[in-house]
Amino acid sequence: MKLPHYLFVLTVVLSFSKATYAQEKNVAVEEALKQGKIEDQFDIVIKKSGRYQDYKVIKQVWVNKLKANTLDSIKTLESKLNETNLQITKQKSTITGLEESLAKTNENLTAVTNEKDSMSFFGASVTKSSYMTIMWLIVAGLLLFLGFFIFKFKNSNTITLQAKKTLAETEAEFEDHRRRALEREQKVMRKLQDEINKQRKAGAK
C-alpha cells in the first residue's frame, strides 16, 4: 500500500477513536449530570472539559444542565428549609403550649398544696401549723378553765361540807339545848304542880 493510503487509514482510525472517546466522555458527563451531588457534577464537568491555555472550555449543554441541576438543588434546599422553618414554628408553638400547660399545672399544684396545707377556721384560711397551734391553745385554755372550775368546785364543796358540818353541829347543840330547856320546863312545871297540890291540901284541912 502506498503512504497516502496509510495516512488516510490512520486519519480515519484516529478520527473514529477521537469520536468514540468524545462520545464516551459525553455519555459519562451526561450520566454524572443526571445523578450525584452538585459538587461531584462540577468536578466531573471541569475534569472532562477541554483546555485552552489557562482556560477550561466547557460545553454549553453541560453548563445549562449544571445550572438547571444547581437551581433544582437550591429549590429543593429552599423547600426543605421552609419545611424545617415550618416544623420549627410548630415546635415553638407546641413548646409554648407545653410551657403554658406546665405553668398552669404548677399553679394548680401550688393551689392544691396550699389548700392541702391550709384549713378553714371560722371562715378564714389558715395553715395547718397555725390551725394546730390555735387548736392546742384552745385545748390548753379549756384545760385551764376546767382546772379552775374543778378547783372552785372542790373549794365550794369543802365550804359546803364545812357549812353542813357546822349546821349539823349547830342543830345538835340546838336540839340538846331545846331538850335541856324542855327538861327544865318540865321540872319547873312539876314543882309548880307539886306546890299547887300542897296548897290545895293545906286549904282542905
Side-chain angles (χ1 to χ4, degrees), residues 17-174:
S17 298
K18 187 175 181 180
T20 302
Y21 174 73
Q23 185 178 2
E24 291 177 354
K25 182 171 69 173
N26 290 337
V27 171
V29 173
E30 289 174 0
E31 288 295 327
L33 292 174
K34 289 180 181 178
Q35 56 188 1
K37 299 179 180 179
I38 294 296
E39 183 180 359
D40 296 336
Q41 294 181 18
F42 271 99
D43 290 340
I44 194 69
V45 167
I46 293 172
K47 182 178 179 181
K48 297 296 183 180
S49 298
R51 179 180 295 277
Y52 175 75
Q53 295 181 356
D54 292 335
Y55 304 99
K56 276 287 187 177
V57 181
I58 304 174
K59 287 187 176 183
Q60 184 68 35
V61 65
W62 294 357
V63 174
N64 293 336
K65 183 63 176 175
L66 191 57
K67 177 183 177 182
N69 292 344
T70 302
L71 292 176
D72 289 341
S73 296
I74 292 174
K75 288 180 180 179
T76 301
L77 291 175
E78 288 178 346
S79 177
K80 289 182 178 180
L81 181 61
N82 291 332
E83 291 179 359
T84 302
N85 289 333
L86 182 60
Q87 290 180 357
I88 290 174
T89 302
K90 290 181 179 180
Q91 289 176 354
K92 285 183 178 179
S93 177
T94 302
I95 291 172
T96 302
L98 290 174
E99 288 176 347
E100 293 176 355
S101 178
L102 180 61
K104 289 182 180 179
T105 302
N106 288 333
E107 290 178 0
N108 293 333
L109 180 60
T110 302
V112 170
T113 302
N114 292 335
E115 183 178 355
K116 182 180 178 182
D117 292 337
S118 64
M119 301 183 71
S120 179
F121 184 75
F122 293 107
S125 179
V126 295
T127 61
K128 279 190 175 181
S129 58
S130 300
Y131 177 81
M132 293 301 295
T133 301
I134 294 172
M135 291 304 296
W136 279 115
L137 287 175
I138 292 175
V139 170
L142 291 175
L143 288 175
L144 288 175
F145 179 76
L146 179 61
F148 177 75
F149 178 77
I150 292 173
F151 170 76
K152 294 294 291 183
F153 174 78
K154 285 185 175 181
N155 190 31
S156 298
N157 190 42
T158 302
I159 294 174
T160 302
L161 291 175
Q162 186 66 32
K164 285 183 178 180
K165 182 179 180 182
T166 303
L167 178 62
E169 291 176 353
T170 301
E171 288 179 346
E173 290 178 359
F174 177 76

